Amino acid sequence: MMIYCFILLVYFNSVHTNHFNGGTITWKPIDPSDSSSSVTITIQQSYWWTYPNIQCANNVPITTSGRANQGSNLTCTADCSTDGGYSTKPIKTLTDCISVSSPLGMLTSQRSQNITLTANAHFYLTYRGNAWTGLGKPSVMNLEWSITTYVDLRMRPDGIINTPPTSGVISPQYIVVNRTSQIQIPVSDVNAGDDVHCRWSEYSHGYRRRRECSACVVTTCSGLACLSFSDCVAGTTTVDTPEILKPTSTYPVRQAINKCGGTCYPGLTPDTWYAAAIQIEDFINSSSTTPMSSTPVQFLIYVMPEPTCPYESIIQPLTGCFDVVVGITKIFNLTIFNRCNPSDVDIADVVLSHEIDGMTKSSLTASPTNSSVTYVQFIWTPEAEQIGLQRMCATAYTEEYAQSDVYCVTFTVMSSPLLACVMTTTTSTSTTSTSSSTSTTSTSTTTSTSTTTVTTTTSSTS
């Protein structure tokens, strides 16, 4: 299933104090069929940071010098009377570094934690702070962010506890001025048959209102031009330090389906940072207007000048079978074709937006026979708890931050080699053409996998 949402780029005159770059929060039940009086779920937080402003260590970000006071908790921000006891044992927002790209200045952190809640709990859980990069032009610092997920442990109509869709997107995303760009956001849902939608995160003014993003939204649109913006309220500080955030809580009416399609977006200004905040929601079927969960995805977008070489690299898809077996090590390569002259602009790195636990990635290795070909080697020994589908998504970057289409591959982990086929990888050493072309989207094919595409049009007009 493919979803192409042409969604509005939410313009935050927001805070990028040069270290927090967005992220996502999701959760899943340990046993979707659990009908006992208490239910254990796993809450996973994944965040992007600027490296080396934030150090690669456990307990990000407080292990970075000068940030010891920047830890906080995920807080209940709506329906807290039915939070199943969460507020008595909140989870910290600290995460652990899982990957770094020194050439691109990117750091990824993640942490999963189990918590047991009362059956039928349902509430909104939020990570809030004010350490975005300075966004907009003129740049405004220290605005707030609010990354909110909806937890609902009530049984679905089909008699199980819902597992929300998951999504990941690399942040920052780099797009080129005067060019229409598509930002691909792979989405998957383990509950086959669910109807998955995207929408813009929403901000509600007033005391104790649920917020899913910062305070800037487009209010009037005509065609592809946005005519006016609401007021953008900055925080009270001008340095990267914690401040007292405005309280939020109940939101009176649940949102109806609001696909990202049909919205408009402004022309974007070069040399400027923007932020996007969307929610991925699943519905029991296409006629339902009540989401069973809501997964936040927030990321930064940088509009850069025209690069020396405007051509994105290409990740060659893997071929053959994607079955892997518990306890048997799988080694494979991803091959990247550089459509620029490598002596002028080379491949900088390959970054994963969706990782598989236990899979290691090598540094870039140049082909000995073709200077336009680079590859990355992956090594993985699947474990018993990974039986089922496991997905990896990758993006290649040039030294000028031109990024390839997202390439995703889904492996099927099996318990016995008797059930598995053999995966092959074809590596070509031919040089690809450097002529301009229209990029296409490539996504792994499972019944519950989709790709959301953010389309933006940039303009050199200030």
Short mmCIF file of all heavy atoms in Angstrom, two decimals, residues 54-115:
data_model
loop_
_atom_site.label_atom_id
_atom_site.label_comp_id
_atom_site.label_asym_id
_atom_site.label_seq_id
_atom_site.Cartn_x
_atom_site.Cartn_y
_atom_site.Cartn_z
N ILE A 54 25.88 17.19 20.64
CA ILE A 54 25.46 16.15 21.58
C ILE A 54 26.40 14.96 21.41
O ILE A 54 26.66 14.52 20.29
CB ILE A 54 24.00 15.73 21.33
CG1 ILE A 54 23.06 16.90 21.56
CG2 ILE A 54 23.61 14.55 22.21
CD1 ILE A 54 23.07 17.43 22.99
N GLN A 55 26.91 14.44 22.51
CA GLN A 55 27.86 13.35 22.48
C GLN A 55 27.15 12.01 22.35
O GLN A 55 26.03 11.82 22.84
CB GLN A 55 28.71 13.36 23.76
CG GLN A 55 29.54 14.61 23.94
CD GLN A 55 30.25 14.67 25.29
OE1 GLN A 55 30.14 13.75 26.10
NE2 GLN A 55 30.99 15.74 25.53
N CYS A 56 27.82 11.09 21.67
CA CYS A 56 27.28 9.74 21.51
C CYS A 56 27.58 8.95 22.78
O CYS A 56 28.71 8.53 23.03
CB CYS A 56 27.91 9.06 20.30
SG CYS A 56 27.21 7.43 19.95
N ALA A 57 26.56 8.77 23.59
CA ALA A 57 26.71 8.09 24.89
C ALA A 57 25.33 7.63 25.34
O ALA A 57 24.32 7.90 24.68
CB ALA A 57 27.32 9.04 25.93
N ASN A 58 25.26 6.94 26.44
CA ASN A 58 23.98 6.62 27.05
C ASN A 58 23.42 7.86 27.72
O ASN A 58 24.14 8.83 28.01
CB ASN A 58 24.12 5.49 28.06
CG ASN A 58 24.41 4.16 27.39
OD1 ASN A 58 24.07 3.94 26.23
ND2 ASN A 58 25.04 3.25 28.12
N ASN A 59 22.13 7.84 27.98
CA ASN A 59 21.44 8.94 28.67
C ASN A 59 21.59 10.28 27.94
O ASN A 59 21.88 11.31 28.54
CB ASN A 59 21.93 9.07 30.12
CG ASN A 59 21.56 7.87 30.95
OD1 ASN A 59 20.47 7.30 30.80
ND2 ASN A 59 22.46 7.47 31.83
N VAL A 60 21.40 10.23 26.61
CA VAL A 60 21.36 11.47 25.83
C VAL A 60 20.12 12.27 26.27
O VAL A 60 19.05 11.71 26.43
CB VAL A 60 21.27 11.13 24.32
CG1 VAL A 60 21.03 12.39 23.49
CG2 VAL A 60 22.53 10.40 23.85
N PRO A 61 20.22 13.61 26.50
CA PRO A 61 21.38 14.46 26.24
C PRO A 61 22.19 14.81 27.48
O PRO A 61 23.14 15.58 27.37
CB PRO A 61 20.74 15.72 25.67
CG PRO A 61 19.47 15.85 26.48
CD PRO A 61 18.99 14.43 26.71
N ILE A 62 21.84 14.30 28.66
CA ILE A 62 22.44 14.84 29.90
C ILE A 62 23.90 14.44 30.06
O ILE A 62 24.61 15.04 30.88
CB ILE A 62 21.63 14.42 31.15
CG1 ILE A 62 21.68 12.90 31.35
CG2 ILE A 62 20.21 14.93 31.06
CD1 ILE A 62 21.08 12.46 32.68
N THR A 63 24.39 13.47 29.30
CA THR A 63 25.79 13.09 29.38
C THR A 63 26.70 14.03 28.60
O THR A 63 27.92 13.93 28.68
CB THR A 63 26.00 11.65 28.90
OG1 THR A 63 25.25 11.43 27.71
CG2 THR A 63 25.52 10.66 29.96
N THR A 64 26.12 14.94 27.84
CA THR A 64 26.91 15.97 27.17
C THR A 64 27.21 17.09 28.16
O THR A 64 26.33 17.52 28.92
CB THR A 64 26.14 16.53 25.96
OG1 THR A 64 25.96 15.49 25.00
CG2 THR A 64 26.89 17.68 25.31
N SER A 65 28.44 17.55 28.17
CA SER A 65 28.86 18.57 29.12
C SER A 65 27.96 19.80 29.04
O SER A 65 27.64 20.29 27.95
CB SER A 65 30.31 18.98 28.81
OG SER A 65 30.74 20.01 29.67
N GLY A 66 27.51 20.26 30.20
CA GLY A 66 26.67 21.46 30.29
C GLY A 66 25.19 21.19 30.15
O GLY A 66 24.39 22.13 30.21
N ARG A 67 24.79 19.92 29.98
CA ARG A 67 23.37 19.61 29.78
C ARG A 67 22.81 18.67 30.86
O ARG A 67 21.82 17.99 30.64
CB ARG A 67 23.17 19.01 28.40
CG ARG A 67 23.66 19.91 27.28
CD ARG A 67 23.27 19.38 25.92
NE ARG A 67 23.87 20.16 24.85
CZ ARG A 67 23.38 21.29 24.36
NH1 ARG A 67 22.25 21.77 24.85
NH2 ARG A 67 23.99 21.94 23.39
N ALA A 68 23.44 18.68 32.00
CA ALA A 68 23.03 17.76 33.07
C ALA A 68 21.61 18.02 33.55
O ALA A 68 20.95 17.12 34.10
CB ALA A 68 24.00 17.87 34.25
N ASN A 69 21.08 19.22 33.34
CA ASN A 69 19.74 19.55 33.82
C ASN A 69 18.68 19.46 32.74
O ASN A 69 17.56 19.95 32.90
CB ASN A 69 19.73 20.96 34.43
CG ASN A 69 20.06 22.04 33.40
OD1 ASN A 69 20.60 21.73 32.33
ND2 ASN A 69 19.77 23.28 33.73
N GLN A 70 18.99 18.82 31.61
CA GLN A 70 18.05 18.79 30.49
C GLN A 70 17.27 17.48 30.39
O GLN A 70 16.62 17.23 29.39
CB GLN A 70 18.80 19.07 29.18
CG GLN A 70 19.30 20.51 29.12
CD GLN A 70 19.96 20.86 27.81
OE1 GLN A 70 20.10 20.02 26.91
NE2 GLN A 70 20.39 22.10 27.68
N GLY A 71 17.32 16.66 31.41
CA GLY A 71 16.48 15.47 31.43
C GLY A 71 15.07 15.82 31.89
O GLY A 71 14.85 16.77 32.65
N SER A 72 14.09 15.07 31.43
CA SER A 72 12.71 15.30 31.83
C SER A 72 11.96 13.98 31.72
O SER A 72 12.56 12.93 31.46
CB SER A 72 12.05 16.37 30.96
OG SER A 72 12.03 15.97 29.60
N ASN A 73 10.64 14.02 31.89
CA ASN A 73 9.80 12.83 31.77
C ASN A 73 8.84 12.99 30.59
O ASN A 73 8.45 14.10 30.24
CB ASN A 73 8.97 12.60 33.04
CG ASN A 73 9.83 12.24 34.23
OD1 ASN A 73 10.89 11.62 34.09
ND2 ASN A 73 9.38 12.63 35.42
N LEU A 74 8.45 11.85 30.02
CA LEU A 74 7.28 11.86 29.16
C LEU A 74 6.08 12.11 30.05
O LEU A 74 5.88 11.41 31.05
CB LEU A 74 7.12 10.51 28.44
CG LEU A 74 8.15 10.14 27.37
CD1 LEU A 74 7.84 8.75 26.84
CD2 LEU A 74 8.17 11.15 26.25
N THR A 75 5.27 13.10 29.70
CA THR A 75 4.17 13.48 30.58
C THR A 75 2.83 13.21 29.92
O THR A 75 2.67 13.34 28.70
CB THR A 75 4.26 14.98 30.94
OG1 THR A 75 4.27 15.74 29.73
CG2 THR A 75 5.54 15.26 31.73
N CYS A 76 1.85 12.86 30.75
CA CYS A 76 0.48 12.73 30.27
C CYS A 76 -0.08 14.13 30.07
O CYS A 76 -0.01 14.98 30.97
CB CYS A 76 -0.36 11.96 31.29
SG CYS A 76 -2.10 11.82 30.80
N THR A 77 -0.64 14.38 28.87
CA THR A 77 -1.13 15.72 28.56
C THR A 77 -2.62 15.75 28.23
O THR A 77 -3.18 16.83 27.99
CB THR A 77 -0.34 16.31 27.37
OG1 THR A 77 -0.29 15.36 26.31
CG2 THR A 77 1.07 16.68 27.79
N ALA A 78 -3.28 14.60 28.21
CA ALA A 78 -4.73 14.57 28.01
C ALA A 78 -5.25 13.21 28.44
O ALA A 78 -4.54 12.20 28.37
CB ALA A 78 -5.10 14.85 26.56
N ASP A 79 -6.50 13.18 28.90
CA ASP A 79 -7.15 11.95 29.38
C ASP A 79 -6.35 11.28 30.49
O ASP A 79 -6.28 10.05 30.59
CB ASP A 79 -7.34 10.96 28.23
CG ASP A 79 -8.30 11.46 27.16
OD1 ASP A 79 -8.94 12.50 27.40
OD2 ASP A 79 -8.40 10.83 26.10
N CYS A 80 -5.78 12.12 31.36
CA CYS A 80 -4.89 11.58 32.40
C CYS A 80 -5.64 10.81 33.49
O CYS A 80 -5.03 10.03 34.22
CB CYS A 80 -4.07 12.70 33.02
SG CYS A 80 -3.01 13.53 31.81
N SER A 81 -6.94 11.00 33.59
CA SER A 81 -7.71 10.23 34.57
C SER A 81 -7.82 8.77 34.16
O SER A 81 -8.16 7.91 34.98
CB SER A 81 -9.11 10.83 34.73
OG SER A 81 -9.83 10.77 33.50
N THR A 82 -7.51 8.47 32.90
CA THR A 82 -7.55 7.09 32.43
C THR A 82 -6.17 6.66 31.91
O THR A 82 -6.05 5.92 30.93
CB THR A 82 -8.59 6.91 31.32
OG1 THR A 82 -8.33 7.86 30.26
CG2 THR A 82 -10.00 7.12 31.86
N ASP A 83 -5.11 7.15 32.58
CA ASP A 83 -3.76 6.82 32.12
C ASP A 83 -3.26 5.48 32.67
O ASP A 83 -2.10 5.11 32.45
CB ASP A 83 -2.76 7.93 32.45
CG ASP A 83 -2.45 8.06 33.94
OD1 ASP A 83 -3.00 7.29 34.74
OD2 ASP A 83 -1.64 8.94 34.29
N GLY A 84 -4.11 4.75 33.40
CA GLY A 84 -3.76 3.41 33.86
C GLY A 84 -2.65 3.37 34.89
O GLY A 84 -2.01 2.34 35.07
N GLY A 85 -2.41 4.51 35.55
CA GLY A 85 -1.35 4.58 36.55
C GLY A 85 -0.02 5.08 36.02
O GLY A 85 0.97 5.10 36.74
N TYR A 86 0.00 5.53 34.75
CA TYR A 86 1.26 6.00 34.18
C TYR A 86 1.87 7.14 34.98
O TYR A 86 3.08 7.18 35.22
CB TYR A 86 1.09 6.44 32.72
CG TYR A 86 2.34 7.10 32.19
CD1 TYR A 86 3.39 6.33 31.72
CD2 TYR A 86 2.51 8.49 32.22
CE1 TYR A 86 4.57 6.91 31.29
CE2 TYR A 86 3.68 9.08 31.79
CZ TYR A 86 4.71 8.29 31.32
OH TYR A 86 5.88 8.86 30.91
N SER A 87 1.04 8.11 35.40
CA SER A 87 1.57 9.31 36.05
C SER A 87 2.26 9.02 37.38
O SER A 87 3.02 9.86 37.88
CB SER A 87 0.44 10.33 36.26
OG SER A 87 -0.08 10.76 35.01
N THR A 88 2.02 7.85 37.95
CA THR A 88 2.69 7.48 39.21
C THR A 88 4.06 6.88 38.96
O THR A 88 4.84 6.72 39.91
CB THR A 88 1.84 6.47 39.99
OG1 THR A 88 1.74 5.25 39.25
CG2 THR A 88 0.45 7.02 40.26
N LYS A 89 4.38 6.56 37.73
CA LYS A 89 5.68 5.95 37.39
C LYS A 89 6.11 6.37 35.98
O LYS A 89 6.30 5.53 35.10
CB LYS A 89 5.57 4.43 37.48
CG LYS A 89 4.33 3.86 36.79
CD LYS A 89 4.15 2.38 37.05
CE LYS A 89 2.83 1.89 36.46
NZ LYS A 89 2.55 0.48 36.77
N PRO A 90 6.28 7.68 35.77
CA PRO A 90 6.57 8.18 34.42
C PRO A 90 7.92 7.72 33.89
O PRO A 90 8.85 7.43 34.65
CB PRO A 90 6.52 9.70 34.60
CG PRO A 90 6.87 9.91 36.04
CD PRO A 90 6.26 8.76 36.77
N ILE A 91 8.01 7.68 32.58
CA ILE A 91 9.25 7.28 31.90
C ILE A 91 10.05 8.52 31.54
O ILE A 91 9.51 9.52 31.08
CB ILE A 91 8.90 6.47 30.63
CG1 ILE A 91 8.32 5.11 31.03
CG2 ILE A 91 10.10 6.31 29.71
CD1 ILE A 91 7.86 4.29 29.85
N LYS A 92 11.36 8.44 31.73
CA LYS A 92 12.24 9.56 31.41
C LYS A 92 12.40 9.69 29.89
O LYS A 92 12.25 8.72 29.15
CB LYS A 92 13.60 9.38 32.07
CG LYS A 92 13.56 9.46 33.60
CD LYS A 92 14.95 9.40 34.18
CE LYS A 92 14.90 9.50 35.70
NZ LYS A 92 14.31 10.78 36.14
N THR A 93 12.73 10.90 29.45
CA THR A 93 12.96 11.14 28.03
C THR A 93 14.40 10.84 27.62
O THR A 93 14.76 11.04 26.45
CB THR A 93 12.64 12.60 27.68
OG1 THR A 93 13.44 13.48 28.49
CG2 THR A 93 11.17 12.91 27.91
N LEU A 94 15.22 10.36 28.54
CA LEU A 94 16.61 10.04 28.20
C LEU A 94 16.66 8.85 27.26
O LEU A 94 15.91 7.89 27.40
CB LEU A 94 17.41 9.74 29.47
CG LEU A 94 17.45 10.86 30.52
CD1 LEU A 94 18.26 10.41 31.73
CD2 LEU A 94 18.03 12.13 29.91
N THR A 95 17.55 8.92 26.29
CA THR A 95 17.71 7.85 25.31
C THR A 95 19.20 7.54 25.17
O THR A 95 20.05 8.23 25.73
CB THR A 95 17.12 8.24 23.96
OG1 THR A 95 17.60 9.55 23.58
CG2 THR A 95 15.60 8.27 24.02
N ASP A 96 19.53 6.52 24.40
CA ASP A 96 20.91 6.08 24.23
C ASP A 96 21.33 6.21 22.78
O ASP A 96 20.58 5.84 21.86
CB ASP A 96 21.08 4.63 24.69
CG ASP A 96 20.60 4.43 26.13
OD1 ASP A 96 20.91 5.29 26.98
OD2 ASP A 96 19.92 3.43 26.39
N CYS A 97 22.53 6.70 22.55
CA CYS A 97 23.06 6.86 21.19
C CYS A 97 23.17 5.50 20.51
O CYS A 97 23.72 4.55 21.07
CB CYS A 97 24.42 7.54 21.25
SG CYS A 97 25.24 7.68 19.65
N ILE A 98 22.62 5.39 19.29
CA ILE A 98 22.72 4.14 18.55
C ILE A 98 23.49 4.30 17.24
O ILE A 98 23.93 3.30 16.66
CB ILE A 98 21.33 3.53 18.26
CG1 ILE A 98 20.46 4.49 17.45
CG2 ILE A 98 20.64 3.13 19.55
CD1 ILE A 98 19.16 3.88 16.97
N SER A 99 23.67 5.53 16.75
CA SER A 99 24.45 5.73 15.54
C SER A 99 24.86 7.19 15.41
O SER A 99 24.19 8.09 15.93
CB SER A 99 23.67 5.30 14.29
OG SER A 99 22.56 6.13 14.08
N VAL A 100 25.97 7.40 14.69
CA VAL A 100 26.50 8.74 14.45
C VAL A 100 27.00 8.82 13.02
O VAL A 100 27.59 7.86 12.50
CB VAL A 100 27.66 9.06 15.41
CG1 VAL A 100 28.48 10.24 14.92
CG2 VAL A 100 27.14 9.37 16.80
N SER A 101 26.74 9.94 12.36
CA SER A 101 27.36 10.24 11.08
C SER A 101 28.19 11.50 11.25
O SER A 101 27.65 12.61 11.26
CB SER A 101 26.31 10.44 9.98
OG SER A 101 26.92 10.89 8.79
N SER A 102 29.50 11.32 11.39
CA SER A 102 30.38 12.48 11.55
C SER A 102 30.37 13.38 10.31
O SER A 102 30.32 14.60 10.44
CB SER A 102 31.80 12.01 11.87
OG SER A 102 31.84 11.34 13.10
N PRO A 103 30.41 12.81 9.07
CA PRO A 103 30.41 13.70 7.90
C PRO A 103 29.17 14.58 7.80
O PRO A 103 29.24 15.69 7.28
CB PRO A 103 30.49 12.72 6.72
CG PRO A 103 31.07 11.47 7.28
CD PRO A 103 30.56 11.40 8.69
N LEU A 104 28.02 14.08 8.29
CA LEU A 104 26.77 14.82 8.17
C LEU A 104 26.37 15.52 9.46
O LEU A 104 25.38 16.26 9.48
CB LEU A 104 25.65 13.87 7.73
CG LEU A 104 25.87 13.16 6.40
CD1 LEU A 104 24.77 12.15 6.14
CD2 LEU A 104 25.96 14.17 5.25
N GLY A 105 27.09 15.28 10.55
CA GLY A 105 26.76 15.92 11.82
C GLY A 105 25.45 15.45 12.41
O GLY A 105 24.72 16.23 13.03
N MET A 106 25.13 14.15 12.24
CA MET A 106 23.86 13.59 12.73
C MET A 106 24.12 12.55 13.82
O MET A 106 25.05 11.75 13.72
CB MET A 106 23.09 12.91 11.59
CG MET A 106 22.64 13.82 10.48
SD MET A 106 21.78 12.86 9.19
CE MET A 106 21.40 14.13 8.00
N LEU A 107 23.27 12.56 14.83
CA LEU A 107 23.31 11.55 15.89
C LEU A 107 21.89 11.04 16.12
O LEU A 107 20.95 11.83 16.20
CB LEU A 107 23.89 12.14 17.18
CG LEU A 107 24.07 11.21 18.39
CD1 LEU A 107 25.22 11.71 19.27
CD2 LEU A 107 22.81 11.10 19.25
N THR A 108 21.76 9.72 16.21
CA THR A 108 20.46 9.10 16.49
C THR A 108 20.50 8.46 17.86
O THR A 108 21.47 7.76 18.21
CB THR A 108 20.14 8.00 15.45
OG1 THR A 108 20.37 8.51 14.15
CG2 THR A 108 18.70 7.54 15.60
N SER A 109 19.46 8.69 18.64
CA SER A 109 19.36 8.03 19.95
C SER A 109 18.01 7.35 20.07
O SER A 109 17.03 7.76 19.43
CB SER A 109 19.56 9.04 21.09
OG SER A 109 18.46 9.94 21.17
N GLN A 110 17.98 6.31 20.89
CA GLN A 110 16.75 5.53 21.02
C GLN A 110 16.76 4.81 22.36
O GLN A 110 17.81 4.46 22.88
CB GLN A 110 16.66 4.52 19.88
CG GLN A 110 15.34 3.80 19.74
CD GLN A 110 15.34 2.91 18.51
OE1 GLN A 110 15.71 1.74 18.57
NE2 GLN A 110 14.94 3.47 17.37
N ARG A 111 15.58 4.59 22.89
CA ARG A 111 15.45 3.75 24.10
C ARG A 111 14.04 3.18 24.15
O ARG A 111 13.07 3.87 23.85
CB ARG A 111 15.72 4.54 25.38
CG ARG A 111 15.63 3.67 26.64
CD ARG A 111 15.98 4.46 27.90
NE ARG A 111 17.39 4.78 27.98
CZ ARG A 111 17.96 5.44 28.99
NH1 ARG A 111 17.19 5.86 30.00
NH2 ARG A 111 19.26 5.69 28.99
N SER A 112 13.98 1.89 24.50
CA SER A 112 12.70 1.21 24.71
C SER A 112 12.57 0.83 26.16
O SER A 112 13.54 0.38 26.78
CB SER A 112 12.60 -0.04 23.83
OG SER A 112 12.64 0.29 22.46
N GLN A 113 11.39 1.00 26.72
CA GLN A 113 11.18 0.69 28.13
C GLN A 113 9.79 0.11 28.31
O GLN A 113 8.81 0.63 27.77
CB GLN A 113 11.34 1.95 28.99
CG GLN A 113 11.27 1.69 30.49
CD GLN A 113 11.65 2.91 31.30
OE1 GLN A 113 12.38 3.79 30.83
NE2 GLN A 113 11.16 2.98 32.53
N ASN A 114 9.72 -0.97 29.09
CA ASN A 114 8.42 -1.59 29.38
C ASN A 114 7.76 -0.92 30.58
O ASN A 114 8.43 -0.48 31.52
CB ASN A 114 8.60 -3.08 29.68
CG ASN A 114 8.99 -3.87 28.45
OD1 ASN A 114 8.93 -3.37 27.33
ND2 ASN A 114 9.41 -5.11 28.65
N ILE A 115 6.44 -0.86 30.54
CA ILE A 115 5.67 -0.34 31.66
C ILE A 115 4.34 -1.09 31.72
O ILE A 115 3.76 -1.41 30.67
CB ILE A 115 5.45 1.19 31.53
CG1 ILE A 115 4.76 1.75 32.77
CG2 ILE A 115 4.67 1.52 30.27
CD1 ILE A 115 4.72 3.28 32.79
#
